[in-house]
Amino acid sequence: QVQLVESGGGSVQAGGSLTLSCVFTAATGCMGWFRQAPGKEREGIAAIYPIGAATYYADSMEGRFTISQEEKTMYLQIRSLKPEDTAMYYCAANLRLKGGNWREVSYWDYWGRGTQVTVSS
């Protein structure tokens, strides 16, 4: 089992940057970041596979988001924030590698409680 705790969210002005953190308690096969805006479905942002340090991004997220990991903390850097980035941001993890689509919520076994990001114009 693994526990995930996100932090780093807050209220920022459009154009600013934030770095979110996710501390996890056990070695994982893969990890990811998702977000969910009010009234919308949870959407995948990026995933990282520690073995080989491979990273993947949703097509709509490439360019402003960077996922990284250092020891037992995963990060998501968000640049040039926009009001539409306002959402609850979640980290997710699987203990082992498995087949499937990382962009799907059902792919992930463990979730954090989220950290809120609010972007004002």
Side-chain angles (χ1 to χ4, degrees):
Q1 205 169 18
V2 59
Q3 293 182 332
L4 309 168
V5 179
E6 304 95 333
S7 63
S11 297
V12 296
Q13 294 274 346
S17 299
L18 275 177
T19 298
L20 308 182
S21 301
C22 173
V23 176
F24 52 99
T25 58
T28 61
C30 54
M31 300 192 68
W33 283 100
F34 280 70
R35 70 182 183 185
Q36 187 167 20
K40 295 189 176 181
E41 293 187 353
R42 194 169 296 191
E43 61 175 343
I45 299 171
I48 186 166
Y49 291 73
I51 297 176
T55 58
Y56 301 90
Y57 296 88
D59 290 343
S60 61
M61 306 294 180
E62 281 204 86
R64 297 192 299 116
F65 296 82
T66 302
I67 189 172
S68 62
Q69 180 186 341
E70 184 174 341
E71 296 186 348
K72 288 190 176 176
T73 303
M74 179 178 65
Y75 301 96
L76 182 71
Q77 184 184 36
I78 315 171
R79 300 173 294 278
S80 301
L81 280 155
K82 305 175 182 180
E84 50 264 43
D85 293 321
T86 295
M88 185 72 80
Y89 285 70
Y90 298 90
C91 62
N94 290 337
L95 287 178
R96 294 177 177 80
L97 293 175
K98 62 180 182 180
N101 185 347
W102 69 264
R103 295 168 187 79
E104 296 179 359
V105 171
S106 60
Y107 178 79
W108 301 94
D109 297 326
Y110 299 96
W111 292 87
R113 294 188 174 186
T115 185
Q116 177 69 37
V117 173
T118 302
V119 184
S120 57
S121 56

